[in-house]
Amino acid sequence: MLAKVLILVASLVGLYVIQKYVEFSRMVKSLQAHSWFTTVFSQRTIIGNILPRIPGVSRGRHATWLEKHRPYAIAGWDATLNITLLPRTSAVLSLVDAAAIKEVTTARARFPKPVEQYKVLSFFGDNIVASEGEDWKRYRKIAAPAFSDRNNKLIWDETIRIILDLFDNVWGSQESIVIDHALTITLPIALFVLGAAAFGRRISWKDDEGIPPNHQMSFKDAIHEVSMNCFIKVIFPDWAMGLTEHTRRVRLAFEELDSHMLEMISKRRNAEKKEERHDLLSSLLDASADDPTFTDRDLTGNIFIFLVAGHETTAHTLCFTFALLALYPDQQEILYQHIKSVLADGRLPTYEEMPLFTQSMAVFNETLRMFPPVNGIPKYSAEDTSLTVGNATGDKLVLPVPQGTAITINTVGLHYNPRYWKDPEEFRPSRFLEPDWPRDAFLPFSAGPRACIGRKFFETEGIAILTLLISRYKIEVKEEPQFASETFEERKARVLASKPGLTITPIQVPLVFKRR
């Protein structure tokens, strides 16, 4: 009996693969009818970027980051076509041409977002990222007041308070602080700032100890676990989430995060003293009170999105920033001297002075160029149209783009495109101080109408942290005996090593913070 079942299953799988291969062959044949196909065709894989890298089978989840601009250099054009057999037969036009990308991001009606690809982010409800059309407009209108200049000052002030709390009550009088992984510092910083400025939840470093009553996981651990392992929740059905210790922990993290968010909503709604607030949670709660169609799941869905965007993205970018400054002490000294020139009397930086910290902004932008939070931005063509792409020699190629064509804006490939960035592998913040730096080739926050609504929040927090920390501490890579003989390039590769997640994630960044 078992043998018959296995034969039946094998037969069904075989038929499915044959069907997919027929679809695959038909797609390739239809594309070959276009004169431009062989020009931009890059590679064919059986499975997309789901599995680890297997040549000819899967490019691997980290392929876009590892390859950077190389596939386009090989193709000779700043566009490639990648064809995949599984999980569905598809051809994806991948772009690293700044002009073509600008056309795609600004023409939202012609090139909308494929919302179905963002369902991974709808675990807790619909939200501003996983929506399009009227729903997206409604979510954006609700959230927009929380990102005003008034709230940006609150972000700055809370960030300064949190960093000073770290200096005074955690690091204290220590002359040297050794950190095995910088994320253990940047993750709580980002969460504390977000909690205070977006959700009215002030947390000190001493408060961040233990698990609160009626919970099995802290808020910080739950959001981090969910962000790192949300793909497991997508791949595994509910019944399979209890099979291993790891999947059980991921399931618990989702349950705990949901509970934490609902508690946050309930606490604000039922507060005896109703304070006038202008933060994100207030905007969302006001919308739920005024609009009966805006449910608690709309609340938790949007809270989750802003938690991920404001927590993981900021923490990872700061971690990479500290790593780069430790690897390039000359650049760190340039930054320190510039901060001293603005704060000559050693006082604390203020929000009003933020535009003066141009070197801090340049360092932050260069980190975002080298380590953009997301590898690619998906779009699709809503109509038959065309795009013009170029190459290093200045040639132009007009690509017909049929209705329904999947398009990816390859952020990493764009940020490492030598047409726009000289020596793109080099950490060179000064490129962002040039008046004509290539703004259209810099997309860490996307661009056009769908650009990240929280960009100013992100920048305000990042500049405040970077400026205050570098004014007080020098950052170095932790010396470890087993790495004593490594070259600079080996050290750089080790310290900047990353892995895929919802955002690109540093693996291990061991640093030492020395009091100046």
Side-chain angles (χ1 to χ4, degrees):
M1 183 66 182
L2 179 60
K4 289 181 179 179
V5 172
L6 291 174
I7 290 171
L8 177 61
V9 171
S11 300
L12 291 173
V13 170
L15 287 171
Y16 177 75
V17 171
I18 290 170
Q19 177 191 355
K20 285 293 181 179
Y21 189 77
V22 169
E23 292 176 9
F24 185 78
S25 300
R26 284 175 179 168
M27 176 177 285
V28 173
K29 188 173 182 180
S30 67
L31 288 167
Q32 285 174 334
H34 296 284
S35 60
W36 53 268
F37 172 73
T38 53
T39 306
V40 299
F41 176 66
S42 175
Q43 52 194 317
R44 177 185 304 158
T45 56
I46 296 174
I47 302 174
N49 297 1
I50 300 173
L51 299 178
R53 182 175 175 83
I54 306 170
V57 177
S58 171
R59 293 173 62 218
R61 285 185 61 202
H62 217 26
T64 303
W65 168 252
L66 296 174
E67 294 169 352
K68 297 185 175 71
H69 187 263
R70 189 164 59 250
Y72 308 90
I74 293 170
W77 293 97
D78 280 342
T80 62
L81 189 71
N82 303 312
I83 304 176
T84 300
L85 176 62
L86 296 172
R88 64 186 180 89
T89 307
S90 62
V92 181
L93 181 62
S94 180
L95 301 173
V96 295
D97 181 284
I101 288 171
K102 186 174 184 178
E103 185 174 351
V104 169
T105 57
T106 53
R108 191 163 66 90
R110 284 169 59 208
F111 301 104
K113 170 186 281 193
V115 176
E116 68 279 359
Q117 292 188 29
Y118 286 85
K119 290 305 177 185
V120 63
L121 299 176
S122 298
F123 297 117
F124 301 100
D126 292 333
N127 55 71
I128 190 171
V129 171
S131 60
E132 188 57 280
E134 293 304 313
D135 285 339
W136 171 76
K137 289 179 182 177
R138 180 174 66 134
Y139 290 140
R140 188 175 179 91
K141 183 179 179 181
I142 290 167
F147 298 97
S148 65
D149 194 62
R150 172 172 50 186
N151 221 38
N152 290 334
K153 186 179 188 312
L154 171 65
I155 293 161
W156 183 281
D157 292 343
E158 287 296 332
T159 303
I160 296 297
R161 178 188 66 80
I162 288 161
I163 298 300
L164 289 175
D165 185 29
L166 170 68
F167 293 167
D168 296 340
N169 298 315
V170 180
W171 291 358
S173 60
Q174 297 177 79
E175 293 296 319
S176 183
I177 300 94
V178 179
I179 307 292
D180 288 329
H181 189 8
L183 270 186
T184 60
I185 292 295
T186 62
L187 280 169
I189 289 174
L191 184 61
F192 296 170
V193 173
L194 187 68
F199 302 112
R201 177 176 172 156
R202 271 195 166 191
I203 312 171
S204 74
W205 287 86
K206 288 189 175 181
D207 293 334
D208 186 45
E209 295 175 0
I211 297 170
N214 303 318
H215 284 279
Q216 299 178 61
M217 190 178 287
S218 70
F219 185 51
K220 180 183 73 174
D221 290 343
I223 184 62
H224 182 61
E225 191 76 39
V226 167
S227 300
M228 290 301 301
N229 295 296
C230 68
F231 293 105
I232 289 176
K233 181 80 169 169
V234 174
I235 294 169
F236 288 90
D238 289 342
W239 62 264
M241 290 298 289
L243 293 178
T244 71
E245 183 178 347
H246 182 54
T247 55
R248 286 193 293 272
R249 180 171 173 79
V250 173
R251 181 177 63 185
L252 176 64
F254 272 87
E255 293 168 353
E256 283 290 301
L257 181 58
D258 193 39
S259 177
H260 279 294
M261 289 191 294
L262 290 172
E263 282 181 11
M264 188 190 304
I265 293 167
S266 176
K267 186 176 180 181
R268 179 69 70 87
R269 272 182 177 157
N270 300 320
E272 291 183 9
K273 185 180 179 182
K274 301 290 185 181
E275 298 179 33
E276 185 180 359
R277 297 177 185 266
H278 305 280
D279 58 18
L280 178 62
L281 184 56
S282 294
S283 296
L284 295 174
L285 286 171
D286 288 346
S288 70
D290 297 338
D291 182 356
T293 66
F294 195 85
T295 67
D296 278 2
R297 279 301 161 209
D298 288 310
L299 277 168
T300 55
N302 282 284
I303 289 171
F304 169 66
I305 283 299
F306 286 108
L307 280 171
V308 171
H311 176 228
E312 295 283 313
T313 303
T314 303
H316 295 169
T317 301
L318 281 169
C319 189
F320 283 122
T321 303
F322 295 161
L324 286 164
L325 290 172
L327 287 165
Y328 293 87
D330 55 333
Q331 293 294 341
Q332 186 176 171
E333 183 62 20
I334 290 170
L335 173 59
Y336 174 61
Q337 292 300 331
H338 183 265
I339 293 169
K340 276 183 61 180
S341 72
V342 178
L343 303 174
D345 55 359
R347 59 188 167 75
L348 294 175
T350 66
Y351 174 65
E352 291 71 23
E353 291 172 316
M354 182 178 165
L356 302 179
F357 297 110
T358 52
Q359 190 66 35
S360 298
M361 193 72 237
V363 168
F364 210 49
N365 279 342
E366 179 69 340
T367 304
L368 287 166
R369 182 193 68 80
M370 297 182 74
F371 297 93
V374 293
N375 288 343
I377 303 166
K379 301 282 186 178
Y380 73 94
S381 176
E383 60 187 52
D384 291 338
T385 185
S386 64
L387 290 169
T388 301
V389 298
N391 61 15
T393 59
D395 300 322
K396 298 292 181 183
L397 176 68
V398 178
L399 300 179
V401 182
Q403 183 179 12
T405 300
I407 298 169
T408 293
I409 297 169
N410 184 341
T411 317
V412 180
L414 176 68
H415 286 190
Y416 283 82
N417 190 337
R419 282 177 63 195
Y420 312 113
W421 308 101
K422 184 179 178 181
D423 301 322
E425 297 284 348
E426 288 297 313
F427 177 60
R428 191 178 298 167
S430 60
R431 66 176 95 235
F432 284 94
L433 298 174
E434 298 169 2
D436 56 347
W437 65 270
R439 288 164 175 78
D440 291 340
F442 184 61
L443 259 71
F445 305 99
S446 189
R450 291 298 307 237
C452 176
I453 191 174
R455 177 173 186 165
K456 188 66 175 179
F457 188 123
F458 182 86
E459 291 176 342
T460 302
E461 176 187 1
I463 298 309
I465 294 167
L466 185 60
T467 301
L468 183 54
L469 195 143
I470 294 299
S471 72
R472 303 282 184 92
Y473 291 86
K474 182 178 181 180
I475 309 174
E476 297 178 359
V477 176
K478 178 186 175 184
E479 296 294 341
E480 299 175 81
Q482 66 269 37
F483 302 119
S485 60
E486 68 183 348
T487 65
F488 173 75
E489 290 302 322
E490 289 170 339
R491 170 175 284 205
K492 180 180 173 183
R494 172 172 63 88
V495 173
L496 297 178
S498 62
K499 60 184 177 182
L502 277 182
T503 62
I504 187 169
T505 306
I507 294 174
Q508 188 78 25
V509 182
L511 300 177
V512 180
F513 293 82
K514 294 185 175 180
R515 187 188 297 273
R516 294 188 184 275

